[in-house]
Amino acid sequence: MRGRCFVAFVSVALLAGSPAPALAQQRGSDIGGQPTKRKLTKMPRLVKFVEAEYPPAKKAAGVAASVVLTIEIGATGKVTAVSVAESAGADFDAAAAAAAAGFEFEPAEVDDKPAPAKITYRYDFVIAAPEPPAAALAALEGEVRAASTFAPLGGVKVTVSREPAPDGAAPIVKSATTDAAGRFSLPDLPAGTYAVVVEAPDGTTTRFSETAAPGKTTRVRYDVVLPPPARPSPPDGVDEVEIRGRPRARREIVDYAVRAEQAKKVAGTQGDVLKVVQNLPGVSRPPVASGQIVVWGSAPRDTRVYVDGVDLPALYHGSGLRGTINSDLVASIDLVPGAFGAEYGRGLGGLVRVETRSLPRGTHGYVGADTLDGSAFASTQIGERVRVGSAFRYSWLDRVLAAASPSSTGGASDIGDFFPIPRYRDAQLKATIDLRKRESLDTVVLVSSDALDRTVPSPDPAKRRVEATRSGFWRAYARYTNTTDDGDTAIVTPFVGHDASSLVQRFGANPTRLEVDSDRYGLRASLRSKLGSRVVLVTGMDALGTASSVSREGSLTLPPREGDVAVFGQPAGDEYAVDRWKTHILDVGPHAYADVRVGPVTLTPGVRFDAFVIEGSKSLPPAGNVPPIGFSRMETTVAPRASARWDVTRRLALTTAYGNYHQPPEPEDLSAVFGTPELGLSRSTHITAGESLRVTDSLTVDVVAFDKRMKDLVVRSRLANPLRARSLTQNGEGRSYGVQLLLRQELWRGFFGWASYAISKSERRFEGDEEWRPFDFDQPHVLSLVASQEIGSWSVGARFRYASGNPRTPVIGSVYDARSDRFDPVFGPQSTTRIPSFWQLDLRVDRTFVLGRGVRALVFADLQNVTNRDNAEEIAYSADFRRRGIITGLPFIAVVGGRLEL
């Protein structure tokens, strides 16, 4: 306990002259006084107080007391005498008298002149209760990013107000503004629940609610929705590109983020932003000439690609050398190998989503050329509300290699006899109209085409085996975006397009030909609404229609499909068939999901309803003059999806996700001759669990375990003579499971890089079989190492990739068919050998020159496959199947080029 002394003047008397009546009280009450004949004009006032020493024994015992003193004060204000008028005990009396002797006063005045006086004074000794400890303060800090691109937002005002103010206290309101990195800090907040208002520079507001715990710092991140026209025009080359584990514009931590300027500097990408996806964990090398993506053991065609929500058939051109969208039009990339949300469907594998860049104001552009191709981009502003941009690319690698490698016979180059040379071109056109504040309309046109040939040479031209692949697509769509003052966002995107592909195989006397032409149309719409401070609800519609015309001729078993026992270049059998048919597949998928925040946990439950209409022109093979009879049916599905994220600490987060998925049959599988018109939906279930650890502010570690189960997969009938219109069945089953790791160093002192590794197993079997076999695209080990260092205007980088080879069935002999004058292979056990493992080292060096205001030049050398390794793309055999060889990929290529930017 702490003793405190309370004092009070209780009376005053003059020592000179006759007594005066009591006139006033000062810190006490009058006890008495003597009347005086003189007039008291001023009472003495204490100006120096001395605290008495509390008697220790009494203080320890908790004894309180009061001592009444008589104090005589001289005309100068000094105390001249002290006596005890009422005792409280010797120890209290002595302490009070000693303290009072040190008092100093302003003297009393009589008739306005200083005069001596005597006062009665009470000195109180009390034991004060201990003061309550000061309430522990809290703090709120974090960062603000754009929900669509996850770019940091500077200049954003974050305001907190306590809700409600306790005990009627005045509301607490504090504000902070984010810095250039999007960070803010609000220290010294009383503990409690706060309403948080995030106000972007354009006036867009987003509201949240946070609970600030006493003595703790609450760390948050807010992803706010900004309308495209309201986003500030980014500087040249400083777009954000995200490669993320969970694709959503919501309040959660982004798994992987790479600036476009950095992505362009990764060795082996030749400056193509989209190619960064190839270096992430869980992404395997695609089959040659496909230009598709293999993730988490799924077939390439099971992974869907979307640009601004519009379905595309491929992300890359043939051999994966280039993306199909110009890098200067790319704002973000979302990669989800599995367990994606309810807004997307029609795929059993993963999801890649590309968002196009908002066109900058003013006039910008570039012209570039390198060993692979030439490209250009230009954009300009028309008035205050309209911006237009276009891009074009054309490949010439085939001519460069032909000039560098003349034919061994002195004629035209025969380099295509050793590895496939892709030929491609693409173009994009985008226009943006700012309708009103936070309301815009984007119109986009995308065009792409590819051609690629694979050849097994032979001295006999008749035995030369060739596979020719051609593909192309175009899309046209309009995207309307409207964001309200409350942050609710509506997006509507109607689109149309066309896909075309052809495959021709000449492996003997009877060529195989497959041509597919598809008209695409659809609509994607979504509405994002806030239901209070902790819940965000997204509802939407995803519709896609595909009307296809398919033509096929040749062997019933060529081209081979997954699970077939076959080898590249295998001659077709004696059977020969022809079919032409049409199909129409329409899927309408309403969906909804919600982000629910409960403390450090974010829950995202969702559901998707799909109604598939599957129609075709032929339900049975042609029979004489009988006209074909078509078919039409509907299948409906309900697909629950859910994910959860727990921010355990500021640096550690745990995640999990679950989902059911469905996929309609491909148009080429609905043939009454080569397939089965009655094919239905294939199904899969995805489960993931992972953690994300931020070791330092720039070093992160992400680990994800996954499991996929697939059923009702389309496989070839095992019957030697299948029933009519039953060449394919849905008796396939699949499973894929594994773990992927990413160790990533964000930009730090000019250095960035990452190491990614995935170990997985993907298997298939025919329903009822006891044994599983390796999936045709199974790659158990995939490793990528990426590093880049900026040194002034120079940049150097390296990339190393390793991937297991795909399984193949070995050829252990051959038999001669005298009637057809050919050799047929004799196969060993299915999928018991593999294409040799792939590994490749790439290096890159570039330099930037500033030529003038707003003009710069970039020159670079991207050295691909610097060890000149003969990486196998496929196993091939001689015409008699006695000699085994490989079809190799591209050799060492020095991709040298540059670009001039405005």
Side-chain angles (χ1 to χ4, degrees):
M1 298 181 180
R2 179 173 178 262
R4 295 186 299 172
C5 303
F6 296 93
V7 298
F9 291 112
V10 293
S11 69
V12 68
L14 299 179
L15 299 182
S18 56
L23 300 178
Q25 299 180 9
Q26 180 176 348
R27 302 181 66 185
S29 58
D30 289 338
I31 293 178
Q34 291 185 330
T36 180
K37 296 180 180 179
R38 300 167 60 189
K39 184 178 181 182
L40 178 65
T41 56
K42 179 180 179 183
M43 295 186 63
R45 186 172 68 88
L46 181 65
V47 295
K48 178 183 178 183
F49 171 76
V50 178
E51 185 173 356
E53 182 179 357
Y54 210 114
K58 296 296 191 295
K59 181 179 180 181
V63 178
S66 296
V67 179
V68 179
L69 303 173
T70 298
I71 304 175
E72 297 182 10
I73 307 168
T76 62
K78 298 290 186 181
V79 175
T80 58
V82 178
S83 60
V84 177
E86 294 181 9
S87 175
D91 47 2
F92 281 118
D93 295 347
F103 288 178
E104 293 183 5
F105 295 83
E106 288 183 357
E109 294 183 1
V110 176
D111 296 333
D112 298 324
K113 295 180 180 181
K118 180 172 66 174
I119 65 172
T120 300
Y121 190 94
R122 187 179 69 239
Y123 207 123
D124 294 332
F125 293 83
V126 296
I127 302 297
E131 294 183 2
L137 295 177
L140 180 67
E141 66 179 39
E143 58 181 321
V144 179
R145 295 195 175 213
S148 60
T149 66
F150 285 88
L153 295 179
V156 173
K157 184 179 180 180
V158 180
T159 303
V160 298
S161 57
R162 189 160 61 180
E163 50 175 26
D167 303 328
I172 297 173
V173 180
K174 286 191 174 183
S175 298
T177 302
T178 60
D179 59 16
R183 294 186 292 263
F184 69 92
S185 178
L186 290 165
D188 301 330
L189 294 174
T193 300
Y194 287 84
V196 182
V197 178
V198 180
E199 183 179 356
D202 70 340
T204 301
T205 59
T206 308
R207 292 172 172 81
F208 301 93
S209 179
E210 302 292 349
T211 299
K216 296 183 179 180
T217 298
T218 301
R219 295 176 174 86
V220 298
R221 183 178 130 181
Y222 300 125
D223 294 341
V224 299
V225 177
L226 297 178
R231 289 196 294 259
S233 299
D236 293 343
V238 191
D239 299 328
E240 282 289 323
V241 174
E242 303 81 69
I243 300 96
R244 303 193 283 125
R246 298 292 307 160
R248 35 174 83 96
R250 307 171 204 168
R251 184 185 181 275
E252 65 178 2
I253 295 177
V254 174
D255 292 333
Y256 319 115
V258 180
R259 284 189 177 275
E261 185 68 13
Q262 296 175 11
K264 294 177 182 178
K265 294 180 178 296
V266 172
T269 64
Q270 296 87 42
D272 194 325
V273 172
L274 298 184
K275 292 186 64 177
V276 176
V277 176
Q278 297 175 345
N279 304 300
L280 294 179
V283 180
S284 304
R285 292 193 69 247
V288 67
S290 71
Q292 296 179 348
I293 300 176
V294 180
V295 292
W296 281 3
S298 297
R301 300 189 72 169
D302 291 349
T303 294
R304 296 293 179 252
V305 177
Y306 295 90
V307 174
D308 291 337
V310 177
D311 173 86
L312 291 189
L315 181 64
Y316 301 118
H317 289 293
S319 292
L321 286 180
R322 285 291 192 199
T324 55
I325 308 295
N326 190 291
S327 293
D328 282 50
L329 275 176
V330 175
S332 66
I333 311 168
D334 296 333
L335 168 67
V336 190
F340 46 86
E343 60 268 50
Y344 293 96
R346 297 186 291 273
L348 304 184
L351 170 72
V352 177
R353 185 179 65 183
V354 178
E355 294 289 330
T356 59
R357 171 189 176 190
S358 294
L359 296 175
R361 297 188 179 277
T363 300
H364 304 272
Y366 84 87
V367 176
D370 57 36
T371 307
L372 301 179
D373 53 44
S375 63
F377 168 79
S379 68
T380 189
Q381 180 176 346
I382 304 175
E384 291 296 323
R385 294 179 175 270
V386 180
R387 301 185 299 279
V388 179
S390 63
F392 177 78
R393 174 165 41 213
Y394 184 84
S395 74
W396 47 55
L397 177 62
D398 55 330
R399 276 164 277 185
V400 171
L401 292 179
S405 303
S407 171
S408 57
T409 61
S413 171
D414 54 9
I415 192 170
D417 292 342
F418 300 96
F419 46 81
I421 304 173
R423 300 183 299 279
Y424 54 87
R425 66 190 69 182
D426 61 65
Q428 301 85 38
L429 174 65
K430 180 173 183 177
T432 298
I433 304 174
D434 299 338
L435 302 175
R436 287 176 294 185
K437 183 180 180 181
R438 295 189 293 275
E439 184 180 20
S440 67
L441 177 66
D442 293 326
T443 57
V444 180
V445 177
L446 309 174
V447 181
S448 175
S449 67
D450 280 276
L452 191 143
D453 298 331
R454 291 194 294 177
T455 304
V456 177
S458 174
D460 184 353
K463 297 181 179 180
R464 195 168 184 256
R465 286 166 286 176
V466 177
E467 180 182 84
T469 304
R470 304 291 183 268
S471 62
F473 69 85
W474 66 263
R475 291 290 186 276
Y477 61 90
R479 188 182 193 187
Y480 170 79
T481 304
N482 183 20
T483 302
T484 67
D485 293 338
D486 293 333
D488 294 349
T489 302
I491 301 176
V492 180
T493 309
F495 61 90
V496 295
H498 182 81
D499 299 343
S501 66
S502 68
L503 172 66
V504 178
Q505 294 178 333
R506 294 185 176 90
F507 301 156
N510 296 327
T512 297
R513 185 186 306 273
L514 173 63
E515 297 180 353
V516 182
D517 287 282
S518 301
D519 292 320
R520 299 276 187 131
Y521 63 94
L523 172 71
R524 179 174 293 276
S526 66
L527 174 62
R528 182 182 186 273
S529 305
K530 294 188 294 296
L531 305 181
S533 59
R534 298 179 181 272
V535 180
V536 174
L537 176 66
V538 178
T539 56
M541 174 67 69
D542 172 22
L544 174 65
T546 304
S548 302
S549 297
V550 188
S551 175
R552 180 173 172 179
E553 60 179 292
S555 171
L556 294 174
T557 58
L558 291 180
R561 59 185 308 113
E562 200 284 326
D564 285 355
V565 177
V567 64
F568 177 78
Q570 180 179 349
D574 292 334
E575 76 281 3
Y576 185 85
V578 177
D579 193 17
R580 291 175 176 81
W581 67 100
K582 295 182 178 182
T583 65
H584 178 230
I585 301 175
L586 172 64
D587 171 38
V588 178
H591 55 269
Y593 64 85
D595 281 340
V596 182
R597 183 171 176 268
V598 183
V601 177
T602 301
L603 304 175
T604 308
V607 65
R608 180 183 178 95
F609 302 91
D610 282 284
F612 292 91
V613 176
I614 303 175
E615 300 175 319
S617 60
K618 295 181 180 179
S619 58
L620 294 172
N625 295 324
V626 178
I629 299 176
F631 60 90
S632 178
R633 61 183 178 275
M634 175 183 289
E635 295 191 37
T636 59
T637 64
V638 179
R641 316 274 174 89
S643 65
R645 180 185 181 90
W646 176 24
D647 292 313
V648 182
T649 67
R650 176 189 177 189
R651 296 186 179 273
L652 175 64
L654 304 179
T655 61
T656 185
Y658 167 87
N660 288 337
Y661 304 88
H662 305 85
Q663 180 170 304
E666 298 294 338
E668 50 265 44
D669 291 341
L670 295 176
S671 167
V673 176
F674 296 93
T676 300
E678 293 185 359
L679 292 177
L681 304 179
S682 299
R683 309 169 192 272
S684 70
T685 300
H686 301 180
I687 300 176
T688 68
E691 65 86 20
S692 178
L693 176 64
R694 183 168 288 277
V695 181
T696 68
D697 289 341
S698 60
L699 180 64
T700 58
V701 179
D702 295 275
V703 181
V704 176
F706 64 90
D707 183 272
K708 291 184 179 180
R709 303 289 163 157
M710 292 153 277
K711 61 181 181 180
D712 297 334
L713 301 179
V714 178
V715 295
R716 198 178 301 281
S717 173
R718 285 185 170 181
L719 299 177
N721 295 299
L723 298 176
R724 192 169 63 152
R726 296 292 186 277
S727 295
L728 302 178
T729 69
Q730 289 191 265
N731 296 110
E733 296 179 335
R735 64 184 184 185
S736 179
Y737 50 91
V739 178
Q740 67 180 35
L741 167 72
L742 178 68
L743 173 66
R744 177 165 178 261
Q745 174 65 56
E746 298 175 9
L747 186 62
W748 177 73
R749 297 183 179 179
F751 174 82
F752 71 90
W754 62 83
S756 68
Y757 173 69
I759 179 171
S760 63
K761 193 170 186 178
S762 184
E763 299 174 309
R764 299 291 188 272
R765 71 178 180 185
F766 200 87
E767 190 178 68
D769 287 355
E770 294 184 1
E771 300 294 329
W772 292 85
R773 61 170 176 81
F775 178 49
D776 283 357
F777 300 100
D778 177 49
Q779 295 180 14
H781 302 279
V782 179
L783 171 69
S784 294
L785 303 175
V786 174
S788 180
Q789 177 69 55
E790 295 180 0
I791 308 172
S793 60
W794 292 83
S795 176
V796 294
R799 179 183 70 171
F800 176 80
R801 291 186 296 163
Y802 171 87
S804 303
N806 290 333
R808 290 294 182 264
T809 300
V811 174
I812 59 176
S814 63
V815 294
Y816 178 67
D817 184 348
R819 186 184 61 175
S820 302
D821 187 25
R822 71 171 187 233
F823 287 88
D824 292 324
V826 176
F827 293 98
Q830 185 177 6
S831 302
T832 54
T833 188
R834 287 182 178 270
I835 297 174
S837 297
F838 168 94
W839 65 264
Q840 182 171 300
L841 176 64
D842 306 318
L843 300 177
R844 178 186 173 91
V845 59
D846 65 56
R847 185 179 181 184
T848 302
F849 299 89
V850 178
L851 303 181
R853 184 176 181 181
V855 180
R856 67 175 185 172
L858 172 73
V859 294
F860 70 90
D862 202 317
L863 310 180
Q864 187 167 342
N865 194 12
V866 295
T867 64
N868 199 29
R869 174 177 167 81
D870 291 331
N871 281 306
E873 297 289 356
E874 187 57 83
I875 298 175
Y877 292 84
S878 61
D880 57 6
F881 293 96
R882 295 178 181 177
R883 296 185 305 277
R884 170 175 161 168
I886 59 173
I887 297 177
T888 62
L890 292 173
F892 166 74
I893 295 180
V895 181
V896 179
R899 53 185 276 162
L900 182 66
E901 301 176 357
L902 174 63

